[in-house]
Amino acid sequence: NPKLHVTVIDGIPQARKKLLGSIDTQDVLVTSYTLLQKDIELYKQIPFTYVILDEAQHIKNRSTRNAKSVKMVQAAHRLILTGTPVENSLEDLWSLMDFLMPGLLSTFERFAEKNLRAPAPVHSQNIAYLKRKVSPFILRRMKSDVLHDLPPVSEIVYHCQLSPVQEELYRSYAASARNELTKLVER
């Protein structure tokens, strides 16, 4: 196997621009979400064969700069890796799939209409259809499948008394949250 040429794109803006200008001799580029955002005008002009996002939960919110930036990158093939379960939120799932396969789940507005705001009987049918649609593209490994030597999860609950200062602080936060919630409800 020939040796892969890996380049880490970091440093000051001029250094990053120079590195990106000489990528013809590189096989793999590695950068951070933050630097990709800063250099997106350069990255979006480069046709990549593969773009692989590690810790893809950084793009789960469709309106963040992270999500908007990575979705501008041109790539023939896309892959994401995340330790965060994709079942956490349908909005998160839409953003991840929008990076992987733009258009598969339609626009966010249409997706929300079908999967977030639909009435109960239709909603469950839509969710079942959505699950069938995306499941071929998700490989979910369970900890028990990978780490056989781990004991089963156990939960231990310890009850303890708050100190007077901790109790006062807790009550203060609780009262503040209650007041804020009351104001929101009134509005």
Side-chain angles (χ1 to χ4, degrees), residues 33 54-61 66 80-84 92 96:
Y33 288 100
D54 192 18
E55 302 296 340
Q57 66 272 15
H58 289 285
I59 69 159
K60 69 182 183 178
N61 183 337
N66 279 343
I80 62 172
L81 305 168
T82 181
T84 303
D92 297 358
L96 294 172

Side-chain angles (χ1 to χ4, degrees), residues 23-185:
I23 62 165
D24 293 343
T25 59
Q26 303 305 310
D27 297 309
V28 178
L29 302 179
V30 179
T31 194
S32 68
Y33 288 100
T34 302
L35 293 179
L36 182 100
Q37 280 177 37
K38 291 179 180 182
D39 300 333
I40 191 58
E41 293 304 317
L42 298 170
Y43 280 102
K44 72 181 187 180
Q45 297 173 28
I46 302 168
F48 290 96
T49 304
Y50 286 90
V51 171
I52 302 170
L53 302 183
D54 192 18
E55 302 296 340
Q57 66 272 15
H58 289 285
I59 69 159
K60 69 182 183 178
N61 183 337
R62 66 188 173 88
S63 60
T64 63
R65 288 176 52 198
N66 279 343
K68 290 176 181 177
S69 296
V70 298
K71 291 175 184 182
M72 289 185 210
V73 177
Q74 303 172 55
H77 307 282
R78 296 163 182 242
L79 179 71
I80 62 172
L81 305 168
T82 181
T84 303
V86 293
E87 300 91 346
N88 279 359
S89 146
L90 290 177
E91 292 95 335
D92 297 358
L93 175 65
W94 183 88
S95 186
L96 294 172
M97 293 305 294
D98 187 51
F99 168 77
L100 288 172
M101 303 177 80
L104 178 73
L105 300 182
S106 192
T107 65
F108 181 75
E109 291 73 24
R110 178 112 170 92
F111 177 82
E113 181 183 310
K114 288 180 70 178
N115 299 291
L116 302 173
R117 296 189 289 262
V122 176
H123 181 261
S124 59
Q125 291 173 341
N126 290 351
I127 294 299
Y129 174 74
L130 175 63
K131 186 175 182 178
R132 286 192 311 273
K133 191 171 189 174
V134 299
S135 64
F137 305 106
I138 298 172
L139 172 62
R140 183 164 185 224
R141 297 186 341 176
M142 305 301 284
K143 195 181 290 187
S144 60
D145 297 334
V146 181
L147 300 171
H148 301 289
D149 58 338
L150 284 181
V153 173
S154 62
E155 190 173 307
I156 301 170
V157 178
Y158 291 102
H159 295 278
C160 61
Q161 290 295 112
L162 297 176
S163 72
V165 172
Q166 290 171 325
E167 191 170 339
E168 184 179 329
L169 184 61
Y170 173 80
R171 290 186 194 286
S172 168
Y173 280 133
S176 174
R178 192 176 318 110
N179 290 339
E180 192 172 321
L181 185 57
T182 303
K183 289 176 186 172
L184 285 172
V185 169

